[in-house]
Amino acid sequence: MSENWRKMLQEWSGNEPVYILLILTAAWIAYELVRHLVTRITGLLRPHERFYALPWIPLLRLIILLTAATLIVPLIIRPTRENVLALLGATAFAVGFAIKDYISCLIAGIIFMFERPYRIGDWIQIGETYGEVIHLGLRTVLVRTIDANDITIPHSALWTGQLTNATSGQKDLLCVTEFYVHPDHDNALARQALFDVAMTSVYLHLDRPIVVVMKHLPFGLYYKLKAYPMEAREQFKFIADLTERGQFALQETGLRLVAAPAAVMGQ
């Protein structure tokens, strides 16, 4: 192995180390200029112009590094056919290993083009991120959260993760509001009060059903008010409206709300 490496190495006449040092110095100076000077220059541009100019800075840095490597490699390795093929093979292996995650995202994106687990406009949850799908790329999905933050998630996150799709290509989105009430009360009265709250909401989709579900728990009764808003983007306003007016309506009928134990809230 050592003999093969010695055959690959270039025989130096004495000036090669100086050339390599000069190339590295020039590359470092160019890299720093791009890092500092170009950044300052783009700071003088208008905001929309700077938005398009800044992404080119990493590309300029990459060009500098590749140029330096292209000039240095022939000074170290003999440019024979066998050596070039060996170098290209090692480079391809290293690059393939470095971008294996990127390739995994691309493969996942191609698969999802056929399976379509989410579409633009869907409200999905991947991990702890919940929001609306606003863009689908071949490698990533762009999700806008309720705080108006755009989060880019690679498609490969679903290889081992879980996806929740609240709309699945439809405009309807079911909203669920929860209430915990002391067990000593009239169940029919409570259910009717919650139903009326949903019926009088300004966000309600009138063509969709309203369901009130009740469940007995050791500390009280648990109610779920299920209804659909007119627009999926109004879901949080809808839930807030149902929660606020639902609690008020239950208290107005003489019912006493209770707090759910921490063990129940964590389920």
Side-chain angles (χ1 to χ4, degrees):
M1 181 63 70
S2 59
E3 183 65 24
N4 293 334
W5 276 106
R6 281 197 293 270
K7 291 181 179 180
M8 290 182 62
L9 295 179
Q10 187 74 270
E11 293 183 1
W12 286 358
S13 60
N15 295 327
E16 284 78 2
V18 177
Y19 297 152
I20 294 175
L21 182 60
L22 291 175
I23 294 172
L24 292 176
T25 302
W28 179 79
I29 293 174
Y31 191 92
E32 290 299 315
L33 285 175
V34 170
R35 180 182 176 186
H36 297 287
L37 184 59
V38 176
T39 304
R40 292 184 179 181
I41 293 175
T42 54
L44 302 176
L45 300 176
R46 297 177 180 178
H48 69 280
E49 296 174 342
R50 185 165 60 250
F51 177 80
Y52 291 104
L54 287 176
W56 290 93
I57 295 179
L59 180 60
L60 292 176
R61 295 175 182 172
L62 179 61
I63 292 175
I64 292 171
L65 295 177
L66 292 178
T67 302
T70 303
L71 295 175
I72 291 175
V73 167
L75 297 177
I76 300 177
I77 298 177
R78 294 180 180 178
T80 63
R81 180 175 179 273
E82 292 77 9
N83 293 345
V84 170
L85 291 177
L87 183 61
L88 290 177
T91 303
F93 177 79
V95 172
F97 182 79
I99 64 173
K100 60 183 178 64
D101 292 336
Y102 186 89
I103 296 176
S104 176
C105 294
L106 290 179
I107 295 175
I110 295 173
I111 293 175
F112 292 157
M113 286 177 60
F114 297 95
E115 294 186 352
R116 304 187 70 183
Y118 37 68
R119 302 169 177 83
I120 294 179
D122 281 350
W123 284 83
I124 65 172
Q125 179 165 351
I126 301 177
E128 297 182 355
T129 301
Y130 175 73
E132 181 184 7
V133 177
I134 61 174
H135 176 72
L136 281 175
L138 189 59
R139 187 181 65 87
T140 61
V141 54
L142 186 62
V143 178
R144 179 163 295 167
T145 67
I146 59 175
D147 298 321
N149 294 324
D150 293 346
I151 299 179
T152 301
I153 303 175
H155 294 302
S156 60
L158 296 183
W159 286 139
T160 56
Q162 185 177 4
L163 166 69
T164 301
N165 194 328
T167 50
S168 298
Q170 305 297 322
K171 294 183 179 180
D172 297 335
L173 187 149
L174 178 63
C175 293
V176 180
T177 312
E178 302 174 336
F179 303 90
Y180 297 91
V181 184
H182 190 276
D184 185 16
H185 68 272
D186 186 342
N187 303 147
L189 182 63
R191 295 179 63 182
Q192 185 61 46
L194 293 177
F195 184 88
D196 293 341
V197 165
M199 278 295 298
T200 55
S201 176
V202 296
Y203 303 103
L204 177 68
H205 195 316
L206 295 175
D207 294 335
R208 296 295 178 267
I210 300 173
V211 179
V212 181
V213 180
M214 181 185 69
K215 180 180 180 181
H216 286 274
L217 297 176
F219 61 90
L221 268 74
Y222 169 47
Y223 289 93
K224 278 187 178 181
L225 176 56
K226 301 181 178 181
Y228 294 83
M230 289 184 292
E231 295 289 342
R233 293 180 180 179
E234 295 179 337
Q235 58 183 291
F236 305 105
K237 295 180 181 179
F238 187 45
I239 293 175
D241 177 58
L242 295 182
T243 301
E244 180 181 2
R245 295 193 304 111
Q247 291 180 351
F248 180 77
L250 292 175
Q251 291 172 345
E252 281 290 300
T253 57
L255 304 184
R256 182 160 58 93
L257 301 179
V258 297
V264 176
M265 299 299 292
Q267 292 179 355

